[in-house]
Coordinates of all heavy atoms in Angstrom, one line a residue:
M1 N 0.9 -1.1 0.0 CA 0.0 -0.1 0.0 C 0.9 1.2 0.0 O 1.0 2.0 -1.0 CB -0.8 0.0 1.2 CG -2.0 1.0 1.1 SD -3.5 0.3 2.0 CE -4.2 1.9 2.3
L2 N 1.5 1.6 1.1 CA 2.5 2.7 1.2 C 3.9 2.0 1.1 O 4.1 0.9 1.4 CB 2.3 3.4 2.5 CG 0.9 4.1 2.7 CD1 0.9 4.8 4.1 CD2 0.8 5.2 1.6
K3 N 4.8 2.8 0.6 CA 6.2 2.2 0.4 C 6.6 2.0 1.8 O 6.6 2.8 2.7 CB 7.1 3.3 -0.3 CG 6.6 3.6 -1.7 CD 7.5 4.8 -2.3 CE 6.7 5.3 -3.4 NZ 7.4 6.5 -3.9
P4 N 7.2 0.8 2.0 CA 7.9 0.5 3.3 C 9.2 1.4 3.5 O 9.9 1.5 2.5 CB 8.3 -0.9 3.3 CG 8.3 -1.2 1.9 CD 7.3 -0.4 1.1
I5 N 9.4 2.0 4.7 CA 10.5 2.8 4.8 C 11.8 2.0 5.1 O 12.8 2.2 4.4 CB 10.4 3.6 6.0 CG1 9.2 4.6 5.9 CG2 11.6 4.6 6.2 CD1 9.1 5.6 4.6
R6 N 11.8 1.0 5.8 CA 12.8 0.1 6.2 C 12.4 -1.3 5.9 O 11.3 -1.8 5.9 CB 13.3 0.2 7.6 CG 13.9 1.6 7.9 CD 14.5 1.6 9.3 NE 15.2 2.8 9.5 CZ 16.5 3.0 9.3 NH1 17.2 2.0 8.9 NH2 17.1 4.2 9.4
C7 N 13.5 -2.1 5.6 CA 13.2 -3.5 5.5 C 12.8 -4.0 6.9 O 13.3 -3.8 8.0 CB 14.5 -4.3 5.1 SG 14.5 -6.1 5.1
F8 N 11.7 -4.9 6.9 CA 11.1 -5.5 8.1 C 12.1 -6.4 8.9 O 12.1 -6.5 10.1 CB 9.9 -6.2 7.8 CG 8.8 -5.3 7.2 CD1 7.8 -5.9 6.4 CD2 8.6 -4.1 7.6 CE1 6.7 -5.2 5.9 CE2 7.6 -3.3 7.1 CZ 6.7 -3.8 6.2
T9 N 12.9 -7.1 8.2 CA 13.9 -8.0 8.7 C 15.2 -7.5 9.2 O 15.6 -7.6 10.3 CB 14.2 -9.1 7.7 OG1 12.9 -9.7 7.4 CG2 15.0 -10.3 8.4
C10 N 15.9 -6.7 8.4 CA 17.3 -6.2 8.6 C 17.3 -4.7 9.0 O 18.2 -4.3 9.6 CB 18.2 -6.5 7.7 SG 18.1 -5.5 6.0
G11 N 16.2 -4.1 8.7 CA 16.1 -2.5 9.1 C 16.8 -1.6 8.2 O 17.0 -0.4 8.4
S12 N 17.4 -2.2 7.0 CA 18.1 -1.3 6.1 C 17.0 -0.4 5.2 O 15.7 -0.8 5.1 CB 18.7 -2.3 5.0 OG 19.2 -1.4 4.0
L13 N 17.5 0.8 4.9 CA 16.5 1.8 4.3 C 16.3 1.1 2.9 O 17.2 0.9 2.1 CB 17.2 3.1 4.1 CG 17.1 3.9 5.2 CD1 17.9 5.3 5.0 CD2 15.6 4.3 5.6
V14 N 14.9 1.0 2.6 CA 14.5 0.6 1.2 C 13.8 1.7 0.5 O 13.5 1.5 -0.8 CB 13.9 -0.9 1.3 CG1 14.7 -1.9 1.7 CG2 12.6 -0.7 2.1
A15 N 13.1 2.6 1.2 CA 12.3 3.5 0.6 C 13.0 4.5 -0.4 O 12.4 4.9 -1.4 CB 11.7 4.5 1.7
E16 N 14.3 4.8 -0.1 CA 15.0 5.6 -1.0 C 15.4 5.0 -2.2 O 15.6 5.6 -3.2 CB 16.3 6.0 -0.3 CG 17.3 4.8 -0.1 CD 18.5 5.3 0.6 OE1 18.6 6.4 1.0 OE2 19.3 4.5 0.9
K17 N 15.3 3.7 -2.4 CA 15.5 2.8 -3.6 C 14.3 2.5 -4.3 O 14.4 2.0 -5.5 CB 16.2 1.5 -3.2 CG 17.6 1.8 -2.4 CD 18.2 0.6 -1.8 CE 19.4 1.0 -1.0 NZ 19.8 0.0 0.0
Y18 N 13.1 2.6 -3.7 CA 11.9 2.1 -4.4 C 11.7 2.9 -5.7 O 11.3 2.3 -6.7 CB 10.8 2.3 -3.4 CG 9.6 1.6 -4.0 CD1 9.5 0.1 -4.0 CD2 8.5 2.4 -4.5 CE1 8.3 -0.5 -4.6 CE2 7.4 1.8 -5.2 CZ 7.3 0.3 -5.1 OH 6.2 -0.3 -5.7
S19 N 11.7 4.2 -5.6 CA 11.5 5.1 -6.9 C 12.3 4.6 -8.0 O 11.7 4.5 -9.2 CB 11.6 6.5 -6.5 OG 10.7 6.9 -5.5
E20 N 13.6 4.6 -7.8 CA 14.4 4.1 -9.0 C 14.1 2.8 -9.3 O 14.1 2.5 -10.7 CB 15.8 4.3 -8.6 CG 16.8 4.0 -9.6 CD 18.3 4.1 -9.2 OE1 18.5 4.6 -8.1 OE2 19.1 3.7 -10.1
F21 N 13.9 2.0 -8.5 CA 13.6 0.5 -8.9 C 12.3 0.4 -9.6 O 12.2 -0.3 -10.7 CB 13.5 -0.3 -7.5 CG 12.9 -1.7 -7.8 CD1 13.8 -2.7 -8.3 CD2 11.6 -2.0 -7.6 CE1 13.4 -4.0 -8.5 CE2 11.1 -3.3 -7.6 CZ 11.9 -4.3 -8.3
D22 N 11.3 1.1 -9.2 CA 10.0 1.0 -9.9 C 10.2 1.7 -11.3 O 9.6 1.2 -12.1 CB 9.0 1.9 -9.1 CG 7.6 1.6 -9.5 OD1 7.2 0.4 -9.7 OD2 6.8 2.6 -9.5
K23 N 10.9 2.8 -11.4 CA 11.0 3.4 -12.7 C 11.8 2.5 -13.7 O 11.3 2.3 -14.8 CB 11.8 4.7 -12.5 CG 12.0 5.5 -13.7 CD 12.7 6.7 -13.5 CE 14.2 6.5 -13.2 NZ 15.1 7.6 -13.2
L24 N 12.7 1.9 -13.3 CA 13.6 1.0 -14.1 C 12.8 -0.3 -14.4 O 12.8 -0.8 -15.7 CB 14.8 0.5 -13.4 CG 15.9 1.7 -13.3 CD1 17.0 1.3 -12.5 CD2 16.3 2.3 -14.6
V25 N 12.0 -0.8 -13.5 CA 11.2 -2.0 -13.8 C 10.0 -1.6 -14.9 O 9.7 -2.5 -15.9 CB 10.6 -2.7 -12.6 CG1 9.7 -3.7 -12.9 CG2 11.8 -3.2 -11.7
K26 N 9.4 -0.5 -14.6 CA 8.4 -0.1 -15.5 C 8.8 0.3 -17.0 O 8.1 0.1 -17.9 CB 7.6 1.1 -15.0 CG 6.6 0.7 -13.9 CD 5.8 1.9 -13.4 CE 4.9 1.6 -12.2 NZ 4.2 2.6 -11.6
A27 N 10.2 0.7 -17.0 CA 10.8 0.9 -18.3 C 11.1 -0.5 -19.1 O 11.7 -0.5 -20.2 CB 12.1 1.7 -18.1
G28 N 10.9 -1.6 -18.4 CA 11.0 -2.9 -19.1 C 12.3 -3.5 -18.6 O 12.7 -4.8 -19.1
G29 N 12.9 -3.3 -17.4 CA 14.1 -3.9 -16.9 C 13.7 -5.1 -16.0 O 12.7 -5.2 -15.6
D30 N 14.5 -6.1 -16.1 CA 14.4 -7.3 -15.3 C 14.5 -7.0 -13.9 O 15.6 -6.5 -13.5 CB 15.3 -8.4 -15.8 CG 15.1 -9.8 -15.0 OD1 13.9 -10.1 -14.7 OD2 16.1 -10.4 -14.6
P31 N 13.5 -7.3 -12.9 CA 13.7 -6.9 -11.5 C 14.9 -7.4 -10.9 O 15.6 -6.8 -10.1 CB 12.5 -7.5 -10.8 CG 11.4 -7.5 -12.0 CD 12.2 -7.8 -13.1
N32 N 15.3 -8.8 -11.2 CA 16.5 -9.3 -10.7 C 17.9 -8.5 -11.1 O 18.6 -8.1 -10.2 CB 16.6 -10.7 -11.2 CG 17.9 -11.4 -10.6 OD1 18.2 -11.3 -9.4 ND2 18.5 -12.3 -11.4
E33 N 17.9 -8.1 -12.4 CA 19.0 -7.4 -12.9 C 19.0 -5.9 -12.2 O 20.1 -5.4 -12.0 CB 19.1 -7.5 -14.3 CG 19.4 -8.7 -15.0 CD 19.3 -8.7 -16.5 OE1 19.0 -7.7 -17.1 OE2 19.3 -10.0 -17.0
V34 N 17.8 -5.3 -12.2 CA 17.8 -4.0 -11.6 C 18.3 -4.0 -10.2 O 19.0 -3.2 -9.8 CB 16.3 -3.4 -11.6 CG1 16.2 -2.3 -11.0 CG2 16.0 -3.3 -13.2
M35 N 17.8 -4.9 -9.5 CA 18.1 -5.0 -8.0 C 19.8 -5.3 -7.9 O 20.5 -4.8 -7.0 CB 17.4 -6.1 -7.3 CG 16.1 -5.6 -6.9 SD 15.1 -6.5 -5.9 CE 14.7 -7.9 -6.9
N36 N 20.3 -6.1 -8.8 CA 21.7 -6.5 -8.7 C 22.5 -5.2 -9.1 O 23.6 -4.9 -8.5 CB 22.1 -7.5 -9.8 CG 21.6 -8.9 -9.3 OD1 21.4 -9.0 -8.1 ND2 21.5 -9.7 -10.2
S37 N 22.0 -4.3 -10.1 CA 22.6 -3.1 -10.5 C 22.6 -2.1 -9.4 O 23.5 -1.3 -9.3 CB 22.2 -2.6 -11.8 OG 20.9 -2.0 -11.5
M38 N 21.6 -2.1 -8.6 CA 21.5 -1.1 -7.5 C 22.1 -1.7 -6.2 O 21.9 -1.2 -5.3 CB 20.0 -0.9 -7.3 CG 19.2 -0.2 -8.4 SD 17.5 -0.1 -8.1 CE 17.3 1.0 -6.7
K39 N 22.8 -2.8 -6.2 CA 23.5 -3.4 -5.0 C 22.6 -3.7 -3.8 O 22.9 -3.5 -2.8 CB 24.6 -2.4 -4.6 CG 25.6 -2.0 -5.6 CD 26.6 -2.9 -5.9 CE 27.6 -2.2 -6.9 NZ 27.8 -2.9 -8.0
I40 N 21.5 -4.2 -4.2 CA 20.4 -4.7 -3.3 C 20.6 -6.3 -3.3 O 20.1 -6.8 -4.1 CB 19.1 -4.4 -3.6 CG1 18.8 -2.9 -3.7 CG2 18.1 -4.9 -2.5 CD1 17.5 -2.4 -4.3
N41 N 21.5 -6.7 -2.3 CA 21.9 -8.0 -2.3 C 21.2 -9.0 -1.4 O 21.0 -10.1 -1.5 CB 23.4 -8.1 -2.1 CG 24.3 -7.4 -3.2 OD1 23.8 -7.5 -4.3 ND2 25.2 -6.8 -2.7
R42 N 20.7 -8.4 -0.2 CA 20.1 -9.2 0.7 C 18.7 -9.6 0.3 O 17.9 -8.9 -0.2 CB 19.9 -8.5 2.0 CG 21.2 -8.3 2.8 CD 21.1 -7.5 4.0 NE 22.3 -7.1 4.6 CZ 22.3 -5.8 5.1 NH1 21.3 -5.2 5.4 NH2 23.4 -5.4 5.5
Y43 N 18.4 -10.9 0.4 CA 17.1 -11.4 -0.1 C 15.9 -10.7 0.7 O 14.8 -10.6 0.2 CB 16.9 -12.8 -0.3 CG 17.1 -13.7 1.0 CD1 15.9 -13.9 1.8 CD2 18.3 -14.1 1.4 CE1 16.1 -14.6 3.1 CE2 18.4 -14.8 2.6 CZ 17.3 -15.2 3.3 OH 17.6 -15.8 4.5
C44 N 16.1 -10.4 2.0 CA 15.1 -9.8 2.8 C 14.6 -8.4 2.2 O 13.5 -8.0 2.1 CB 15.5 -9.7 4.2 SG 17.0 -8.8 4.6
C45 N 15.6 -7.6 1.8 CA 15.4 -6.3 1.2 C 14.9 -6.4 -0.2 O 14.1 -5.6 -0.6 CB 16.8 -5.5 1.1 SG 17.5 -5.2 2.8
R46 N 15.3 -7.5 -0.9 CA 14.9 -7.8 -2.3 C 13.4 -8.0 -2.2 O 12.5 -7.5 -3.1 CB 15.6 -8.8 -3.0 CG 17.1 -8.4 -3.3 CD 17.9 -9.7 -3.6 NE 17.6 -10.0 -5.0 CZ 18.4 -9.7 -6.0 NH1 19.6 -9.1 -5.8 NH2 18.2 -10.1 -7.2
R47 N 12.9 -8.8 -1.2 CA 11.6 -9.1 -1.1 C 10.7 -7.8 -0.9 O 9.6 -7.7 -1.3 CB 11.4 -10.0 0.1 CG 10.0 -10.1 0.7 CD 9.8 -10.3 2.2 NE 10.6 -9.4 3.0 CZ 10.7 -9.4 4.3 NH1 10.4 -10.5 4.8 NH2 11.5 -8.5 5.0
M48 N 11.3 -6.9 0.0 CA 10.6 -5.6 0.2 C 10.2 -4.9 -1.0 O 9.0 -4.3 -1.1 CB 11.3 -4.7 1.2 CG 11.6 -5.3 2.5 SD 10.2 -5.7 3.6 CE 9.6 -4.1 4.0
L49 N 11.0 -4.9 -2.0 CA 10.8 -4.1 -3.2 C 10.0 -4.9 -4.1 O 9.1 -4.3 -4.8 CB 12.2 -3.8 -3.9 CG 13.1 -2.8 -3.3 CD1 14.4 -2.7 -4.1 CD2 12.5 -1.4 -3.0
L50 N 10.2 -6.1 -4.2 CA 9.4 -7.1 -5.1 C 7.9 -7.2 -4.7 O 7.0 -7.2 -5.5 CB 10.0 -8.3 -5.2 CG 11.3 -8.6 -6.2 CD1 11.7 -10.1 -6.1 CD2 10.8 -8.2 -7.6
S51 N 7.7 -7.4 -3.4 CA 6.3 -7.6 -3.0 C 5.5 -6.5 -2.7 O 4.2 -6.6 -2.3 CB 6.5 -8.5 -1.7 OG 7.1 -7.8 -0.7
N52 N 6.0 -5.2 -2.7 CA 5.2 -4.0 -2.6 C 4.1 -3.9 -3.7 O 4.6 -4.0 -4.8 CB 6.1 -2.8 -2.3 CG 5.3 -1.6 -1.9 OD1 4.4 -1.8 -1.1 ND2 5.4 -0.6 -2.6
V53 N 2.9 -3.7 -3.3 CA 2.0 -3.5 -4.3 C 1.3 -2.0 -4.0 O 0.9 -1.8 -2.9 CB 0.8 -4.6 -4.2 CG1 -0.4 -4.1 -5.2 CG2 1.3 -5.9 -4.4
N54 N 1.4 -1.1 -4.9 CA 1.1 0.2 -4.7 C -0.6 0.3 -5.0 O -1.0 0.5 -6.1 CB 1.7 1.1 -5.6 CG 1.7 2.5 -5.1 OD1 1.1 2.8 -4.1 ND2 2.3 3.4 -5.9
I55 N -1.4 0.3 -4.0 CA -2.7 0.2 -4.2 C -3.4 1.4 -3.6 O -4.6 1.5 -3.5 CB -3.4 -1.0 -3.5 CG1 -3.2 -1.0 -2.3 CG2 -3.0 -2.3 -4.3 CD1 -4.1 -2.1 -1.3
I56 N -2.7 2.5 -3.4 CA -3.3 3.6 -2.7 C -4.2 4.3 -3.5 O -5.2 4.9 -3.2 CB -2.1 4.8 -2.2 CG1 -2.6 5.8 -1.3 CG2 -1.4 5.2 -3.4 CD1 -3.2 5.3 0.0
D57 N -4.0 4.4 -4.9 CA -4.9 5.1 -5.8 C -6.2 4.3 -5.9 O -7.3 4.9 -6.3 CB -4.3 5.1 -7.1 CG -3.0 6.0 -7.2 OD1 -3.1 7.0 -6.4 OD2 -2.3 5.9 -8.1
H58 N -6.3 3.0 -5.6 CA -7.5 2.2 -5.7 C -8.3 2.3 -4.3 O -9.5 2.2 -4.2 CB -7.1 0.8 -5.9 CG -6.5 0.6 -7.2 ND1 -7.1 0.7 -8.5 CD2 -5.2 0.3 -7.5 CE1 -6.2 0.5 -9.4 NE2 -5.0 0.2 -8.9
V59 N -7.6 2.6 -3.2 CA -8.2 2.7 -1.8 C -8.8 4.0 -1.5 O -9.7 4.2 -0.9 CB -7.2 2.2 -0.7 CG1 -7.6 2.4 0.6 CG2 -6.7 0.7 -1.0
L60 N -8.1 5.1 -2.1 CA -8.5 6.4 -1.7 C -9.8 6.9 -2.0 O -10.3 7.5 -1.3 CB -7.4 7.5 -2.5 CG -7.2 8.8 -1.9 CD1 -6.7 8.6 -0.3 CD2 -6.1 9.5 -2.6
P61 N -10.4 6.4 -3.2 CA -11.8 6.7 -3.4 C -12.8 6.2 -2.3 O -13.8 7.0 -2.0 CB -12.1 6.0 -4.8 CG -10.8 6.1 -5.5 CD -9.8 5.8 -4.3
F62 N -12.4 5.2 -1.7 CA -13.3 4.6 -0.7 C -13.3 5.6 0.5 O -14.3 5.8 1.3 CB -12.9 3.2 -0.2 CG -13.2 2.3 -1.3 CD1 -12.1 1.8 -2.1 CD2 -14.4 1.7 -1.6 CE1 -12.3 0.8 -3.0 CE2 -14.7 0.8 -2.4 CZ -13.6 0.4 -3.3
Y63 N -12.2 6.1 0.9 CA -12.1 7.1 2.0 C -12.7 8.4 1.6 O -13.3 9.0 2.5 CB -10.5 7.3 2.4 CG -10.0 6.2 3.2 CD1 -9.3 5.2 2.5 CD2 -10.2 6.1 4.6 CE1 -8.7 4.1 3.2 CE2 -9.8 5.0 5.3 CZ -9.0 4.0 4.6 OH -8.4 3.1 5.4
E64 N -12.6 8.7 0.4 CA -13.3 10.0 0.1 C -14.9 9.8 0.1 O -15.6 10.8 0.5 CB -13.0 10.4 -1.4 CG -11.5 10.9 -1.5 CD -11.0 11.1 -2.9 OE1 -11.8 10.6 -3.9 OE2 -10.0 11.6 -3.1
Y65 N -15.3 8.6 -0.3 CA -16.8 8.4 -0.3 C -17.2 8.3 1.2 O -18.3 8.8 1.5 CB -17.1 7.0 -1.0 CG -18.5 6.6 -0.9 CD1 -19.5 7.2 -1.7 CD2 -18.9 5.5 0.0 CE1 -20.8 6.9 -1.6 CE2 -20.2 5.2 0.1 CZ -21.1 5.8 -0.7 OH -22.4 5.4 -0.6
L66 N -16.4 7.7 2.0 CA -16.7 7.6 3.4 C -16.8 9.1 4.1 O -17.7 9.3 4.9 CB -15.6 6.8 4.2 CG -15.8 6.4 5.7 CD1 -17.1 5.6 5.8 CD2 -14.6 5.8 6.2
A67 N -15.9 10.0 3.7 CA -15.9 11.3 4.2 C -17.3 12.0 3.8 O -18.0 12.6 4.5 CB -14.7 12.1 3.8
Q68 N -17.6 11.7 2.5 CA -18.9 12.4 1.9 C -20.0 11.7 2.6 O -20.9 12.6 3.0 CB -19.0 12.0 0.4 CG -20.1 12.5 -0.2 CD -20.2 12.1 -1.7 OE1 -19.3 11.3 -2.2 NE2 -21.3 12.3 -2.3
R69 N -20.1 10.6 3.0 CA -21.2 9.9 3.7 C -21.3 10.4 5.1 O -22.4 10.6 5.6 CB -21.2 8.4 3.7 CG -21.4 7.7 2.3 CD -22.8 7.8 1.8 NE -23.7 7.2 2.8 CZ -25.0 7.3 2.8 NH1 -25.6 8.2 2.1 NH2 -25.7 6.7 3.7
R70 N -20.2 10.5 5.7 CA -20.2 11.0 7.1 C -20.7 12.5 7.1 O -21.5 12.9 7.9 CB -18.9 11.0 7.6 CG -18.7 11.5 9.1 CD -17.2 11.3 9.6 NE -16.9 9.8 9.7 CZ -15.8 9.4 9.4 NH1 -14.8 10.1 8.9 NH2 -15.6 8.1 9.5
A71 N -20.3 13.3 6.2 CA -20.9 14.7 6.1 C -22.3 14.8 5.9 O -23.1 15.6 6.4 CB -20.1 15.5 5.0
E72 N -22.8 13.8 4.9 CA -24.2 13.7 4.7 C -25.0 13.3 6.0 O -26.0 13.9 6.3 CB -24.5 12.8 3.6 CG -24.1 13.3 2.4 CD -24.4 12.2 1.2 OE1 -25.0 11.2 1.5 OE2 -23.9 12.3 0.1
F73 N -24.3 12.3 6.7 CA -25.0 12.0 8.0 C -25.0 13.0 9.1 O -26.1 13.3 9.7 CB -24.3 10.7 8.5 CG -24.9 10.1 9.7 CD1 -26.0 9.4 9.8 CD2 -24.2 10.5 11.0 CE1 -26.5 8.9 11.0 CE2 -24.7 10.0 12.2 CZ -25.8 9.2 12.2
E74 N -24.0 13.7 9.2 CA -23.9 14.7 10.2 C -24.9 15.9 9.8 O -25.5 16.6 10.7 CB -22.5 15.4 10.3 CG -21.6 14.3 11.0 CD -20.2 14.8 11.1 OE1 -19.8 15.9 10.6 OE2 -19.4 14.1 11.7
S75 N -25.1 16.3 8.5 CA -25.9 17.3 8.2 C -27.4 16.9 8.4 O -28.3 17.7 8.7 CB -25.8 17.8 6.7 OG -26.1 16.6 5.7
D76 N -27.8 15.6 8.3 CA -29.1 15.0 8.5 C -29.5 15.1 10.0 O -30.5 15.3 10.4 CB -29.2 13.7 8.0 CG -29.3 13.6 6.5 OD1 -29.5 14.7 5.9 OD2 -29.2 12.6 5.9
T77 N -28.5 14.9 10.9 CA -28.8 14.8 12.2 C -28.9 16.1 12.9 O -29.4 16.2 14.1 CB -27.8 13.9 13.0 OG1 -26.4 14.6 12.8 CG2 -27.8 12.5 12.5
L78 N -28.3 17.2 12.3 CA -28.5 18.5 12.9 C -29.8 19.1 12.6 O -30.5 19.0 11.9 CB -27.3 19.5 12.5 CG -26.0 18.9 12.9 CD1 -24.8 19.8 12.3 CD2 -25.9 18.8 14.4
Ligands
LIG1 ZN1 16.7 -6.5 4.5

């Protein structure tokens, strides 16, 4: 959902590498080779980049709808 800041296992910073990794993979790079070129060698950190799914754009409309419904409910009760 949100980018993890640190690796859950070893505590190494991974958030600073995620943008470049995502850009290179979306440009058609092989994730394994991209991580090798970025010197991400530990498999725990590699997991953090590979397994992250960015779904914030899909979840955000539900929160907006919830805020809208809450505002409607509060205006009805007053
Ligand atoms: Zn790690």
Side-chain angles (χ1 to χ4, degrees):
M1 191 152 160
L2 296 175
K3 295 175 198 168
I5 304 297
R6 291 187 174 270
C7 174
F8 295 151
T9 304
C10 72
S12 174
L13 278 176
V14 292
E16 63 183 5
K17 299 165 185 160
Y18 186 79
S19 297
E20 183 181 350
F21 171 77
D22 195 42
K23 183 178 71 176
L24 291 173
V25 169
K26 282 183 179 172
D30 179 40
N32 182 37
E33 293 174 7
V34 169
M35 286 188 286
N36 288 341
S37 68
M38 294 174 66
K39 309 277 190 236
I40 303 170
N41 297 323
R42 294 183 197 141
Y43 61 86
C44 57
C45 301
R46 295 168 77 98
R47 166 215 49 195
M48 297 299 291
L49 294 178
L50 277 176
S51 63
N52 185 46
V53 178
N54 197 5
I55 60 169
I56 190 70
D57 292 334
H58 301 288
V59 172
L60 207 53
F62 292 103
Y63 283 98
E64 292 169 352
Y65 178 73
L66 187 63
Q68 178 187 355
R69 289 291 297 162
R70 184 174 294 135
E72 288 175 10
F73 178 75
E74 288 175 356
S75 67
D76 285 347
T77 57
L78 295 179

